[in-house]
């Protein structure tokens, strides 16, 4: 479920050595499956561990995950990098904003997963997002933009050069293109 690099494991062992015996780490997702999902790591004293929690064993400690966060932490990676200017703990959880779907799920579910986990995080820096309305019988994904993308002068480039290319590469032979059905009107929220 979660990969923790050797350097991160060493970092956790060092931090935990200064805590009460039996303390482990907790890896969690706040607002799992939503665009504003965020991942975190905290201490997990023994009295905070629930029966329903999942324990992942590592050398010298356990990583504790609550049942609600678990599906959203599939393929998560924790690393600890030391650099000249300091050190940084990184947690990458590609499925935090959208629960991973199986390879044999309906095409619309797989496209929606890519939109939520890969495309929308990129658009979020401009306050925008996109969602899948439908996939037509001839393999066209019908998309609707919102937030800062609605009325943005670059939306056509984003659609054709970004999203369409990415989706066609991911779903060759299944998806034939994308079409925007948003009624774009400039407003205070539009990104320029």
């Amino acid at each position: 479920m979660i990969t923790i690099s050797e350097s991160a494991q060493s970092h956790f062992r060092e931090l935990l050595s200064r805590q009460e015996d039996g303390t482990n780490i907790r890896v969690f997702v706040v607002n799992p499956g939503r665009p504003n999902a965020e991942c975190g790591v905290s201490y997990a004293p023994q009295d905070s561990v629930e029966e329903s929690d999942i324990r992942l064993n590592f050398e010298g400690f356990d990583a504790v995950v609550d049942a609600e966060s678990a599906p959203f932490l599939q393929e998560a990676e924790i690393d600890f990098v030391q650099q000249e200017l300091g050190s940084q703990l990184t947690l990458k959880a590609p499925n935090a904003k959208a629960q991973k779907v199986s390879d044999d799920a309906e095409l619309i579910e797989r496209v929606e997963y890519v939109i939520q986990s890969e495309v929308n995080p990129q658009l979020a820096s401009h306050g925008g997002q996109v969602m899948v309305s439908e996939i037509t019988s001839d393999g066209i994904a019908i998309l609707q933009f919102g937030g800062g993308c609605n009325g943005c002068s670059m939306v056509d480039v984003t659609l054709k050069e970004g999203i369409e290319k990415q989706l066609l590469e991911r779903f060759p032979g299944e998806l034939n293109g994308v079409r925007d059905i948003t009624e774009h009107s400039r407003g205070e929220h539009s990104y320029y």
Side-chain angles (χ1 to χ4, degrees), residues 20-157:
E20 187 176 309
D21 281 348
T23 300
N24 289 292
I25 64 163
R26 177 173 295 282
V27 184
F28 58 90
V29 181
V30 177
N31 298 318
R34 295 188 182 95
N36 62 340
E38 291 190 26
C39 300
V41 178
S42 65
Y43 291 118
Q46 279 185 319
D47 62 356
S48 73
V49 178
E50 305 285 331
E51 275 188 43
S52 60
D53 285 341
I54 299 164
R55 284 181 172 265
L56 306 171
N57 303 107
F58 293 91
E59 188 178 325
F61 68 93
D62 288 347
V64 180
V65 177
D66 64 273
E68 184 184 5
S69 294
F72 300 93
L73 289 170
Q74 296 297 323
E75 301 176 14
E77 298 176 6
I78 300 175
D79 195 11
F80 183 72
V81 180
Q82 290 184 301
Q83 301 167 334
E84 278 185 37
L85 300 175
S87 55
Q88 182 176 5
L89 185 70
T90 61
L91 196 162
K92 294 179 185 172
N95 301 306
K97 295 181 187 316
Q99 187 172 347
K100 185 165 179 150
V101 296
S102 67
D103 292 339
D104 61 353
E106 293 289 325
L107 179 59
I108 193 166
E109 292 175 37
R110 291 180 284 135
V111 170
E112 182 66 26
Y113 171 75
V114 171
I115 294 288
Q116 293 302 324
S117 64
E118 298 176 25
V119 175
N120 278 344
Q122 296 169 10
L123 297 178
S125 65
H126 298 183
Q129 79 268 352
V130 67
M131 61 183 210
V132 182
S133 293
E134 68 174 294
I135 296 186
T136 65
S137 59
D138 58 344
I140 304 297
I142 307 299
L143 306 178
Q144 181 151 9
F145 286 89
C149 291
N150 187 358
C152 173
S153 60
M154 296 298 290
V155 75
D156 290 336
V157 174

Side-chain angles (χ1 to χ4, degrees), residues 159-173:
L159 181 70
K160 290 297 182 180
E161 297 300 317
I163 298 170
E164 184 174 61
K165 280 186 174 180
Q166 188 172 358
L167 292 177
L168 291 177
E169 285 176 14
R170 292 293 287 275
F171 304 104

